[in-house]
Amino acid sequence: MRVFVIAGEASGDRLGAALMRGLRGLAGEKVDFAGVGGERMLSEGLTSLFPMDEISIMGIGEILKEYRALKRRIRETADAILDAKPDVVVTIDLPEFNLRLAKLVKARSDIRIVHYVAPTVWAWRPGRAEKMARHVDQVLALLPFEPPYMEAAGMRCDFVGHPVVTDPKASAAEEASFRLTYGIGDAPLCAVLPGSRRSEIQRLAPVFGEVVARLAKARPDLRFVLPAAHSVAGAVQEAVSEWPHQPLVLDPREGPRVEEAKRAALAAADVALAASGTVSLELAHARTPMVVAYDMNWLSRQIIGRMLLTDTVTLVNLVSETRAVPEFVGRDCRPDRIAPALQRVLEEPQAQLRAMDLTMERLGEGGAPPGERAARAVLDGLGRASE
């Protein structure tokens, strides 16, 4: 069996590696992998056409700047697929690259194409599903409510679970060790998570800093920890140096133990202030109640605000079909609104804890790993029984 897999980001590399393990274990025959991927997929036996980071580009400006190089890589990858004649092509997220690739491949062949990670048509630009259906045969969805949107456009769609459910959890002993190591003791702890992109740090850090100052004044016993993402650790340190109240910053550049401390910090925290994104699922996995806050530039706020189809952007709220997580987005991203909400969640977390339990259950916690479920769905789509 020949499988061509394309990923362009770290999250996609993780999904791809798990899928490859699942296929190798279930296919009942030797599986040869080719495509584009990172270290995790390479370690699972992928032969990569070129380094994954060459197509790992985000943002309209960045894509326009690298347009010629990306277009060349799309053609090169399409030619490689057509030459290899694989049984299936699995494209993972990165729609700017992968859906253009799918169009080229389908124009010249009937090779089956599976796209892993459904586009957020439930949130905005629903027309993307119909365009996708012209070139994609099957979609693997991370969220349980996504299949009907894809199926309505004419594609098979399988919910395979979210990878967050397989993340390791900090033990009670690790939480206690974290509190002891950093001198927190039994004090209530607030985790502060202002994002993993430089633009997010620039926009959210001043707001989050003021929220921390307000909470520190209202609750002198409250401690604060900020686990910085590796990609923005320098920007975080610079931004935090100007805050009126200094949190404990976990800087991953200081070594692997700090990365381990992040997991323990999220579990040990009694409440969290987080930017919008998948971090809300990480916090739900750790059973840490949260408040979500996010803002963007004026133009993006106007465009997205007019196109948004939901009244919440927080995945815990969407998956649990509740509005248990308070969120402050756009013009509502203000310290005077966020700080009181954090205090309320800290004092009364029960409703949110129930919503987080439901979220994890619906995302597949306790069931078969998402990589295995994705592999079964791919094999079933090919008409091959899995072992």
Side-chain angles (χ1 to χ4, degrees):
M1 180 178 177
R2 294 190 299 270
V3 180
F4 208 98
V5 193
I6 302 103
E9 300 173 296
S11 58
D13 187 43
R14 176 187 178 187
L15 291 172
L19 170 66
M20 290 167 68
R21 282 195 300 275
L23 286 171
R24 203 166 47 241
L26 297 172
E29 60 183 282
K30 185 177 184 293
V31 186
D32 293 319
F33 296 103
V36 181
E39 290 183 5
R40 296 189 183 198
M41 290 168 65
L42 293 174
S43 70
E44 294 295 333
L46 179 80
T47 301
S48 190
L49 286 176
F50 47 80
M52 181 182 74
D53 58 11
E54 291 191 20
I55 59 173
S56 183
I57 300 171
M58 296 184 65
I60 295 174
E62 290 80 1
I63 290 172
L64 290 174
K65 183 179 177 182
E66 302 293 335
Y67 179 72
R68 288 186 179 179
L70 283 173
K71 192 173 181 180
R72 184 176 66 252
R73 286 305 195 190
I74 291 171
R75 287 197 304 268
E76 179 183 341
T77 307
D79 288 342
I81 291 169
L82 293 166
D83 289 342
K85 297 181 176 61
D87 296 279
V88 64
V89 174
V90 181
T91 58
I92 305 175
D93 209 2
L94 204 72
E96 296 84 0
F97 183 94
N98 281 325
L99 297 185
R100 286 174 173 83
L101 171 67
K103 182 178 180 180
L104 285 182
V105 172
K106 278 297 189 184
R108 297 165 58 189
S109 77
D110 61 353
I111 295 171
R112 185 172 181 81
I113 294 180
V114 178
H115 188 68
Y116 198 168
V117 183
T120 54
V121 296
W122 42 267
W124 68 309
R125 290 174 57 200
R128 287 177 290 168
E130 284 75 15
K131 291 181 180 178
M132 208 173 140
R134 299 169 193 165
H135 320 297
V136 172
D137 300 293
Q138 182 179 4
V139 179
L140 307 179
L142 304 186
L143 303 174
F145 55 80
E146 291 177 319
Y149 294 93
M150 301 294 105
E151 291 164 351
M155 292 171 285
R156 168 174 172 166
C157 186
D158 298 85
F159 166 62
V160 298
H162 197 286
V164 73
V165 302
T166 61
D167 284 349
K169 287 187 178 183
S171 65
E174 288 172 325
E175 291 181 41
S177 176
F178 169 79
R179 284 180 168 272
L180 179 64
T181 300
Y182 291 97
I184 297 167
D186 295 328
L189 181 65
C190 176
V192 183
L193 303 152
S196 58
R197 299 174 185 168
R198 187 170 293 273
S199 59
E200 290 173 332
I201 303 302
Q202 291 173 342
R203 195 165 301 278
L204 296 177
V207 176
F208 282 27
E210 178 59 28
V211 171
V212 168
R214 287 172 178 257
L215 287 173
K217 184 176 181 180
R219 290 286 304 267
D221 60 331
L222 188 60
R223 301 287 298 277
F224 300 88
V225 59
L226 195 163
H230 199 286
S231 57
V232 292
V236 166
Q237 291 282 21
E238 183 178 347
V240 167
S241 67
E242 300 178 2
W243 286 11
H245 185 87
Q246 297 292 304
L248 164 66
V249 177
L250 301 179
D251 190 332
R253 297 174 299 178
E254 296 175 5
R257 288 187 178 180
V258 176
E259 287 285 5
E260 295 171 6
K262 174 186 175 180
R263 185 170 67 241
L266 294 188
D270 299 283
V271 71
L273 169 60
S276 177
T278 55
V279 69
S280 70
L281 296 183
E282 293 180 42
L283 290 165
H285 186 57
R287 302 308 194 268
T288 301
M290 74 198 85
V291 168
V292 167
Y294 202 78
D295 200 5
M296 58 212 81
N297 63 47
W298 182 87
L299 181 60
S300 296
R301 190 193 294 176
Q302 299 306 309
I303 294 172
I304 294 175
R306 286 175 170 79
M307 298 176 72
L308 199 63
L309 302 175
T310 66
D311 64 346
T312 179
V313 297
T314 301
L315 289 172
V316 172
N317 287 342
L318 289 162
V319 175
S320 67
E321 297 179 281
T322 70
R323 295 300 179 263
V325 178
E327 62 180 43
F328 300 87
V329 179
R331 66 182 63 188
D332 292 324
C333 185
R334 293 169 32 185
D336 62 323
R337 295 186 178 183
I338 299 168
L342 274 163
Q343 283 190 263
R344 288 193 295 271
V345 171
L346 181 61
E347 293 164 3
E348 298 180 8
Q350 288 76 20
Q352 200 174 130
L353 289 169
R354 289 192 294 271
M356 290 191 291
D357 286 340
L358 180 58
T359 296
M360 289 298 107
E361 178 187 335
R362 289 181 172 178
L363 290 181
E365 189 174 68
E372 180 183 322
R373 294 174 64 172
R376 288 189 187 279
V378 170
L379 291 170
D380 187 67
L382 287 168
R384 302 188 184 208
S386 58
E387 290 190 342

